Amino acid sequence: MKMADLRVVIKIAELQSITAAANQLDISSSAASIALKRIENEVGAALFVRTTRQLRLSSEGERYLPLCQQALDLLQQGQQAINDERQSINGEVRMAMSSEMGRNLMRNLLNDLLAHHPDVTLRLHVSDTRVDFYRDGVDVALRAMIAGAVNESNFYGFKICNIPHFLCASPQYLAKHGAPTRPGELIEHNALLYKLYNVTHDTWLLLHGKQEHKIKMTSNRACNDGDLVRRWCVDGVGIAKKSAIDVAQDMLAGRLQRVMPDYQIPLTELWLVLPSRQMITPAIRLIRDELKQKISALRVQLINNKTLAEHEWPTDE
């Protein structure tokens, strides 16, 4: 049932004339008649008694039209509430994210947001360790997670996107050491490893069709800061396993190149996570929408640059 049809029917009842209602609504009389017919077909009853001289509400119409008016009023109130909400982007946002996201992608995004919405204040918790919402005083966290992890938790969240990962190295490193083409050749190269909670992620899982390859990497350095691992990679001291989001600008600028593109790494997902639905504010919705747009643009750039094939970065659309 269309809201526009309901408005036509209510106007017909008000003016007791299809022609007069059509003139006020700036539509043709035939369009008004069709709108009325659609509503009557859906209701299953004639809403008006038509004679050659007048048009008046039927008993069914007398019961139905006041409820329609109430429904339209509520819908208009809801639309107004959304419009008011969009106008009032304000308040404090206490947000947690990884060091890499904070320094690169989110820094510029949040700068733009505060420039356009001066009533928003920002309190960031930037760390590669997972925050406790209540202990650390955080309202929302940006997290990379395995598929289904949010559903298994007690948190509420907005999925931002899928995240592809790949192996990468600088042109200087590849010119000096050569580019590996098979999993077995990786052990001859220096891996730049990420370390979290005293666990060094030195086993890399690669997929090739239905085959899985787990490679125990050798390395002369590891770090609990993902952005430092990325910078080491740009410096040309080894091969890293990184997310497409974190190294997108390096790939587009030619500072890094993809290694072994025929082998895939399992996708993860990027989520905005909150301890409850009640914590959602207009500012957080705006951050969600801006982040989706920014990452979608990165995806298109990497695909156009032929760094990634389209199927390697699936969307939820």
Side-chain angles (χ1 to χ4, degrees):
M1 188 173 295
K2 298 180 178 179
M3 286 178 59
D5 288 350
L6 287 176
R7 290 193 180 97
V8 171
V9 173
I10 288 170
K11 185 60 71 174
I12 292 171
E14 176 189 336
L15 301 176
Q16 296 185 350
S17 167
I18 292 175
T19 302
N23 289 337
Q24 276 209 12
L25 296 171
D26 197 24
I27 61 175
S28 66
S29 295
S30 61
S33 295
I34 291 170
L36 173 58
K37 192 65 177 176
R38 277 197 295 260
I39 295 294
E40 289 182 326
N41 287 339
E42 291 194 45
V43 172
L47 300 180
F48 294 90
V49 176
R50 300 164 178 82
T51 68
T52 55
R53 294 186 176 181
Q54 65 177 349
L55 188 72
R56 61 180 176 82
L57 284 172
S58 66
S59 59
E60 291 86 352
E62 288 175 348
R63 294 193 298 272
Y64 183 70
L65 266 296
L67 296 174
C68 284
Q69 185 63 64
Q70 291 176 28
L72 274 179
D73 290 344
L74 286 172
L75 288 170
Q76 288 170 351
Q77 289 174 27
Q79 185 64 56
Q80 187 61 46
I82 290 173
N83 292 339
D84 291 345
E85 189 175 83
R86 287 174 177 165
Q87 305 279 323
S88 59
I89 307 294
N90 55 41
E92 184 176 81
V93 176
R94 300 181 300 175
M95 190 174 185
M97 64 194 66
S98 71
S99 59
E100 198 153 19
M101 279 282 183
R103 292 170 185 160
N104 301 312
L105 181 73
M106 294 302 294
R107 176 173 56 87
N108 292 328
L109 185 150
L110 293 171
N111 280 345
D112 290 342
L113 185 143
L114 266 64
H116 288 92
H117 300 280
D119 292 332
V120 175
T121 57
L122 192 62
R123 300 292 180 264
L124 289 190
H125 187 291
V126 177
S127 172
D128 284 2
T129 58
R130 184 156 294 189
V131 300
D132 182 288
F133 284 101
Y134 303 103
R135 182 194 65 213
D136 298 315
V138 170
D139 300 326
V140 59
L142 188 62
R143 289 181 178 171
M145 311 176 79
I146 62 173
V150 168
N151 295 333
E152 296 171 1
S153 69
N154 296 321
F155 298 128
Y156 181 79
F158 297 112
K159 182 179 176 183
I160 302 300
C161 66
N162 294 305
I163 311 177
H165 297 71
F166 44 68
L167 305 183
C168 53
S170 71
Q172 297 90 337
Y173 177 88
L174 296 175
K176 183 175 181 179
H177 300 280
T181 58
R182 296 190 304 274
E185 296 175 7
L186 279 173
I187 58 175
E188 301 170 7
H189 290 265
N190 187 47
L192 307 172
L193 299 178
Y194 183 58
K195 180 180 180 181
L196 188 62
Y197 303 118
N198 294 320
V199 176
T200 301
H201 295 268
D202 58 357
T203 299
W204 291 354
L205 173 62
L206 305 177
L207 308 177
H208 190 259
K210 295 183 179 180
Q211 287 186 313
E212 290 188 359
H213 303 269
K214 289 185 178 181
I215 312 300
K216 178 80 168 179
M217 300 299 298
T218 56
S219 173
N220 68 358
R221 64 190 75 194
C223 183
N224 65 347
D225 185 320
D227 192 49
L228 185 52
V229 173
R230 179 190 67 82
R231 290 169 187 256
W232 278 340
C233 197
V234 172
D235 290 341
V237 295
I239 294 177
K241 178 169 70 75
K242 299 295 296 178
S243 85
I245 295 172
D246 291 335
V247 295
Q249 296 302 331
D250 295 315
M251 303 296 289
L252 293 170
R255 292 186 292 268
L256 292 177
Q257 294 178 5
R258 191 170 175 185
V259 174
M260 295 173 56
D262 293 336
Y263 292 82
Q264 280 73 52
I265 296 168
L267 293 169
T268 57
E269 298 175 349
L270 185 64
W271 285 76
L272 269 180
V273 182
L274 305 101
S276 73
R277 185 186 290 268
Q278 285 68 39
M279 303 299 292
I280 302 169
T281 65
I284 287 174
R285 287 195 180 95
L286 180 61
I287 290 171
R288 173 200 63 190
D289 296 342
E290 293 292 322
L291 185 54
K292 282 186 174 184
Q293 289 182 19
K294 195 171 186 70
I295 291 176
S296 178
L298 277 180
R299 175 182 180 272
V300 170
Q301 288 178 281
L302 288 173
I303 290 170
N304 290 342
N305 192 48
K306 302 192 184 306
T307 296
L308 281 170
E310 191 167 353
H311 71 271
E312 292 183 282
W313 196 337
T315 66
D316 292 324
E317 299 174 357

